Amino acid sequence: MKKKVLSLLLSTAMVASLAACGSETAPADTTATETAPADTATEAAPADTAAAEDYTLETLNIVVDGTVTATVESGQKEFEEQWEAAVAEKLGHPVDLVINQLDHSDYAGTVSRLLTTGEPGDGSYPDALIMSATMLRQYQTTGLLWDMADAYANAEFQSRVTLPTVNENMKDSEGHLYGFAPTYGNGCVTYVKQSWLDAVGMKADDIKTFDDYYAMLKAFTENDPDGNGSAGTYGVIAAGFGKLDEAPYINYMPEFWQGAYPSFYQKDGVWVDGFQEQATVDALARLAQGVADGVIDPDTEDAGTKQAREKFFSNDQTTSEGVFTYWAGTWLRTLTTNMEKQEVDNDLGDNRLVQLAPIQEIKDTWGGYLNREAPVWVITDDQDGNSAREQAIFDALLETMLDGDRVQTLWTYGAEDVHWSIHAEEFSTNADDPEKKKDYSYEEGQFHLKQSPNDPNSVWKKNHLDAVLVIAPLTNGYVDNDELVQAGNKFFTENCVDAPAAASCDTLAENNEALVEEKTTLMKQAVAGEITPEEAIAQYQADFGDIAQQILDELNAQ
Amino acid sequence: MSKKQNVTTTSTGAPINQKPLGTRIWNNRGYYLMFLPVLVFVIIIYYWPMLGVRYAFYQYKLKNITWVGLKNFETMFGKKEFWSAFTNTLQISITKLLITTFTSVLVSVFLNEMHNLFAKKSLQTIIYLPHFMSWAVVAAIFQLFLSTSSTGFVNETLKSMGLIAKSIDFLHSKQLWRPIFYIINIWKETGWGTVIFLATLSGINPELYEAADIDGASRLQKIWYVTVPALMNTVIIVLILNLAKVLNLFESVFVLYNNRVFDVSDVISTYVYRQTFLTAIPDYGYTTAVGLFKSIVGCVLVLVCNWASKKIRGRGII
């Protein structure tokens, strides 16, 4: 008995001691809910500049997604070294840049865990990070992000900004700016394989309406465009019928969605739930018809972007597709280069893909392809009551990012003599293959992109910033003259409109994932023909009708 | 009146003088010192993380941690997604357990009846192999195998035989997902499941078969009246031991399910995973509450199985 009592006491003591240790965090954390860091930052703004001068930023931890293409395998070390050298020269003191590049596909989840578990100042907590517009809307009310409105207004690059509306539109209703977009958003255009058009006797210029578009898809599916004598091809592939977790949701299959927008958006100044609109019912019906007719590749349902594009330019065209809607500009070059690598339509050179103008139904509703809200850089707020640290981060990272010269070049093209150079040189891609070999020759002082560090058979394209999309252009004259990229950007600019602004309110933030999951499930069931589009919307209304109405009430009350 | 002695007895009933615990620890301090690192390790690795269960009573989003009492449990019990996941877990796990146990017994008996040692060993090795493949690889193989595209072996074969006109989307069908899931589990785990049954079969007294021969029993009668009864105790023990683990269903479902079949495939672990890792700003308090509920149900199952084990084989599993 004595032994049992003793063991019980020992166990109790152990649990109590552990609980005592563990409970330290909870009360401390709880107080965080009472903090209003955004207001604090605003109030402290007048003293910020002076405070920033007192604060010396020694290490800059940034978290980035796949849009920083100078990865660890592709010269990131050299990029960091050159950035540190350039910034040290500008600021007058060294800053150690630490890049934490996360898996692009699980970026939002990993960022959430980093911001939950870390604290400013520890090694893994980001000082600044990239966020999509949707993420920004979710985080800007949490108090974790710094309001950079004043810093942005006073930035040195303001005198060179050519697209001021991009960041003005990022501000919330009270004028706070929690995310800074160095470029405008860009969007997707529909690419069609020229060889397939030729094979079925069609011309891209004749595709003007959805009926024309659908007839083209049917021809690609049924008329043996790959010329192998048997079926197996499809009209179109995409990364999902609709990507309902990422604005602007419809941009991978715009011809099918047309005027539908399966989320909350402002229509004539009033917030509406687009998923409940007739336009969504019609879009689901079109998608279901496309699947039933076999013109949409069934892999679309579960494909990610990588899988979809790799199937599109695959070496095996017998199960490929003729149409793929993807990002404009640089991606036109990337898709073309990949087709070249896979030896697809080698006789067509840079004319492998033709860009399809928006069909009439898109023009009549949106006005063109959707230009998404730009991804942004955010700075984390350490909630210490002043903005010295945050201003220092802004100065080191964002102010220099658009300096028009050395640092902006690093963010635009990568590291000098690794990704680009101004020194005379000659190189060849596919040097071992006489048929595919391409020679490049540059004179001393001539800006040019070099061979990719991780692929000697292709030429480097860009780093994080797109020179054409940036809000304050380079002033050093370093321009990549890739005609295909320029043509792609020009085409998109001429055929795009801004996507609706993302919605943001408490109830939406609380229920967003459940809504996305429900809508995605119902969309897939409707497209597969398991339920009708009307039943899908009815089910959504039954499950989330009240919550959707509450969200609309909150949004319209803002 | 004699004072009660602090004594312990040995198995033979002989008394042992019991010294105070402190004295015994001091006398064996070398051993206790050796045990100390293990104790510290156990506390840090197993017990320290358990403190996290307190977040089941908090709302825990990013850095905002607010005491909410039992609200997370109220939310959980009010969500149809949770109940769907809970019932799916029980249904899928128990059905899978019964099916794989049955097939393992069947294959074990079949292997036991094989007299060609080479064929027997070869077959054993072949059916063991899938167990060593990761679920990710298994899922990739079956997705390719069952694909609706022209590369899908099953659909193309059925079409070429004229049995179907249009490809069947096996893994996206609410009606077919579970049967396919069970078939894949049978393929992967039956071989490994036979190990314990084959060991039991090898221990059956040959005299029982000889006696059955003398009585004129046929081969099937020997299986039914000798082999199967000899296996039953092991079958029940295997079922009981595995019943305690039925809630631990994640990887096999995770790699094979998709939005369209959530209604029939989503289990508690995948539900918690989505709520925790696929949500932009997850409420760790809510997901901890779901995890805690699962642990409590699992604990009850273990205790029930322990009780059943004591009843059937005379000793518990814990």
Side-chain angles (χ1 to χ4, degrees), chain A residues 6 14 18 21-22 25-26 29-30 32-33 112-113 115-116 118 138-139 142 144 298 301-302 319 510 513 517 520-521 524-525 528 530 543, chain B residues 21 43 47-48 51 54-55 58 60-66 80-81 148-150 169 172 174 259-260 262 274 277-282 284:
Chain A
L6 189 64
M14 186 183 78
L18 286 174
C21 295
T25 48
D29 290 345
T30 310
T33 58
S112 160
R113 292 189 285 282
L115 294 177
T116 300
Q138 288 165 333
Y139 279 91
T142 62
L144 293 182
E301 178 165 351
D302 296 322
T319 57
E510 201 171 307
E513 270 63 37
E517 188 172 296
T520 304
T521 302
K524 288 185 173 185
Q525 289 174 347
E530 292 170 4
D543 293 341
Chain B
L21 181 63
I43 289 171
Y47 289 93
W48 188 268
L51 293 171
R54 71 183 187 280
Y55 291 123
Y58 288 84
Y60 188 166
K61 284 188 173 182
L62 294 172
K63 298 195 182 309
N64 296 339
I65 306 175
T66 314
K80 72 166 191 173
E81 294 88 355
T148 52
S149 70
S150 56
D169 202 349
H172 288 97
K174 279 188 191 175
N259 289 67
R260 257 166 61 196
F262 273 172
R274 283 203 316 281
F277 295 108
L278 302 183
T279 301
I281 302 180
Y284 292 104

Side-chain angles (χ1 to χ4, degrees), chain B residues 9-25:
Chain B
T9 57
T10 65
S11 57
T12 58
I16 298 172
N17 279 328
Q18 188 77 291
K19 292 178 182 174
L21 181 63
T23 310
R24 277 183 285 145
I25 290 175

Side-chain angles (χ1 to χ4, degrees), chain B residues 89-145:
Chain B
T89 308
L90 293 178
Q91 287 171 5
I92 294 172
S93 284
I94 292 171
T95 310
K96 186 183 80 142
L97 175 61
L98 293 175
I99 289 175
T100 51
T101 306
F102 175 74
T103 52
S104 294
V105 170
L106 206 66
V107 172
S108 303
V109 172
F110 173 71
L111 286 170
N112 193 50
E113 291 297 315
M114 288 180 75
H115 296 302
N116 184 325
L117 199 61
F118 176 76
K120 184 179 176 179
K121 293 286 178 194
S122 303
L123 197 58
Q124 267 182 281
T125 307
I126 290 168
I127 62 171
Y128 283 173
L129 282 177
H131 171 77
F132 298 101
M133 295 170 80
S134 79
W135 270 109
V137 173
V138 170
I141 291 170
F142 276 89
Q143 274 161 4
L144 203 65
F145 203 58

Side-chain angles (χ1 to χ4, degrees), chain A residues 400-429:
Chain A
T400 62
M401 189 181 280
L402 295 187
D403 69 350
D405 194 13
R406 201 170 153 195
V407 183
Q408 187 168 341
T409 306
L410 287 167
W411 285 109
T412 307
Y413 296 117
E416 186 174 5
D417 292 330
V418 177
H419 302 108
W420 60 273
S421 179
I422 53 170
H423 300 301
E425 69 172 327
E426 293 178 353
F427 61 82
S428 304
T429 52

